[in-house]
Amino acid sequence: MISRVPRSKRLVSALAGAFAITLGAFSLPTLAGDPFRANSPRPIGEKTQQAFNAIFLEGNYREAAEGLLQQAEVMEPNEPLVYAMQASIAYTDWQANKKNTEKNTALLETVKSYAIKTGETAERLKTTDSVRGNLYTAVSHGLEAATILEEEGSVRGAAKALGKLQQVYGFLDAAEKEAPQDPELNLIKGWMDLLIAVNLPFSDPTGAIARLEVARPSYLADRGIAVGYRDLKNYDEALKHVDRALEAAPNNPELHYLKAQILVRQAEKNKLPDQRHAAKAAFQAALTKSNQLAKGLVAQIFFEHCRNQRRIDDRDRNCDGMRDQIRDAASRWGSAASQLPALD
């Protein structure tokens, strides 16, 4: 049981982040539309799979948000993964618009609406697929817990949010009892455990890494394992897994960004200037797809790229100002790479 309010807020925030991040050229039957299972695929739906691939294989949130997910809602309305992805994108938008009170409120209502839809479709799915039905019922309660804390605050909302969290774990346990090796369950639960370990003090990501070893799709599992090893400061293993993920998803800018972060930390730990140059190339690869990512993420990638470049050539740069310029732009998405501030 989580007893302290600040810790409970970090926990539900970690859960929301897990649902946001976890949810191809992937070699599964296109007709089945299942990005998780090579054997006995579920009829998830082709449009849902296309949206999933756009986000997680290609890192193209713009394509998913501005077309594919709306098509999936119309053509595959009984698939809870559609609404979970919609909620996750709305949650990311909400985080980027905290200064705009009116927009912020509307986005939080959107998160709540899609969280409820996730739960409603998951409940209906239980009659034909109890594992996925229980899994996405858990996801819906996790998303609702996050919105409760944001609306009511960590003091007033803590008890209600913790009640939701108890339901999250109850439904996850129900899914796991029935199919402990299910790759979709282990992917979401593995990412959730990982982000909790990263966000809470004295937590160890080793168990989450073990769970992700049996998760699918492999490029998302390897991405999670790389994050785990990064935070364990085992940079050789982290690089091995991020490179493995990049072999399967070479166009994903978030994977290039993760590789850059690992290389920067490795350079700092081992005093290896060549690693900073390798990190520079990875940051640049990530930013070539800047117009398909949320502007807040682009601003953060650029900021870290700027700081790394400052360490390479020892030139003074206003990294904070350039980051804020990107973050404060009117667009929902990042600018094209050619329109980003120049570092050289």
Side-chain angles (χ1 to χ4, degrees):
M1 170 65 69
I2 308 298
S3 57
R4 290 182 297 168
V5 169
R7 192 178 179 194
S8 69
K9 184 169 184 179
R10 288 196 297 271
L11 178 56
V12 291
S13 296
L15 282 167
F19 301 142
I21 202 169
T22 315
L23 282 182
F26 192 62
S27 56
L28 291 177
T30 304
L31 184 63
D34 187 340
F36 306 102
R37 301 167 187 83
N39 300 315
S40 304
R42 307 291 211 276
I44 289 174
E46 186 175 353
K47 286 298 176 185
T48 304
Q49 185 193 32
Q50 287 175 5
F52 184 95
N53 288 349
I55 294 172
F56 298 111
L57 188 68
E58 301 292 335
N60 195 336
Y61 290 82
R62 188 172 197 161
E63 182 184 16
E66 294 185 350
L68 290 172
L69 282 170
Q70 289 90 335
Q71 294 170 33
E73 280 193 64
V74 172
M75 299 177 69
E76 293 143 15
N78 295 316
E79 173 49 58
L81 177 56
V82 174
Y83 305 110
M85 289 190 287
Q86 287 279 41
S88 298
I89 288 176
Y91 188 84
T92 302
D93 283 346
W94 170 82
Q95 287 182 313
N97 286 277
K98 289 186 177 181
K99 294 180 182 178
N100 185 333
T101 305
E102 185 177 346
K103 191 171 184 180
N104 180 276
T105 302
L107 285 167
L108 201 56
E109 287 300 317
T110 302
V111 178
K112 287 167 61 178
S113 173
Y114 279 122
I116 291 167
K117 285 185 178 180
T118 302
E120 290 172 347
T121 51
E123 193 62 38
R124 291 195 295 271
L125 185 60
K126 287 178 188 177
T127 60
T128 56
D129 189 338
S130 59
V131 174
R132 295 192 73 239
N134 280 308
L135 175 58
Y136 284 97
T137 302
V139 168
S140 71
H141 285 296
L143 289 165
E144 287 185 55
T147 62
I148 287 167
L149 284 181
E150 299 305 340
E151 276 192 316
E152 301 185 17
S154 57
V155 176
R156 286 197 306 126
K160 196 186 298 184
L162 285 172
K164 286 287 181 184
L165 284 180
Q166 289 176 333
Q167 291 178 295
V168 167
Y169 284 106
F171 286 111
L172 286 175
D173 287 347
E176 189 164 21
K177 282 177 183 175
E178 190 166 343
Q181 297 303 309
D182 182 74
E184 187 176 11
L185 166 68
N186 281 293
L187 183 72
I188 292 177
K189 184 67 163 58
W191 266 102
M192 186 183 78
D193 290 348
L194 178 68
L195 291 177
I196 289 171
V198 167
N199 281 277
L200 295 184
F202 312 115
S203 297
D204 185 353
T206 351
I209 289 171
R211 184 180 286 277
L212 285 167
E213 294 281 4
V214 296
R216 295 293 181 273
S218 59
Y219 61 85
L220 262 178
D222 277 315
R223 176 175 167 181
I225 294 168
V227 169
Y229 280 123
R230 178 199 67 187
D231 294 314
L232 287 169
K233 298 181 172 57
N234 186 340
Y235 301 123
D236 290 340
E237 280 296 313
L239 277 175
K240 182 177 81 174
H241 284 279
V242 79
D243 282 338
R244 189 180 295 173
L246 278 164
E247 286 178 15
N251 298 318
N252 189 313
E254 291 181 299
L255 285 173
H256 289 286
Y257 172 40
L258 174 58
K259 182 170 183 176
Q261 287 185 317
I262 295 166
L263 287 165
V264 165
R265 294 188 188 193
Q266 192 173 52
E268 290 170 350
K269 178 183 178 182
N270 300 326
K271 311 298 182 188
L272 297 172
D274 286 349
Q275 296 296 76
R276 287 199 175 275
H277 289 279
K280 175 181 178 177
F283 280 125
Q284 289 172 329
L287 289 169
T288 60
K289 302 290 182 70
S290 54
N291 61 344
Q292 67 187 43
L293 297 170
K295 64 180 180 181
L297 177 57
V298 175
Q300 184 60 30
I301 297 171
F302 187 90
F303 176 68
E304 293 177 39
H305 176 33
C306 180
R307 291 181 63 185
N308 183 62
Q309 186 62 31
R310 195 162 59 187
R311 294 294 298 274
I312 289 173
D313 57 19
D314 198 27
R315 279 179 53 193
D316 188 32
R317 290 179 173 83
N318 184 6
C319 297
D320 295 84
M322 288 187 279
R323 176 198 59 201
D324 294 345
Q325 178 185 335
I326 298 168
R327 190 172 56 195
D328 295 340
S331 172
R332 177 184 184 185
W333 309 104
S335 303
S338 61
Q339 298 174 336
L340 294 174
L343 287 184
D344 298 318

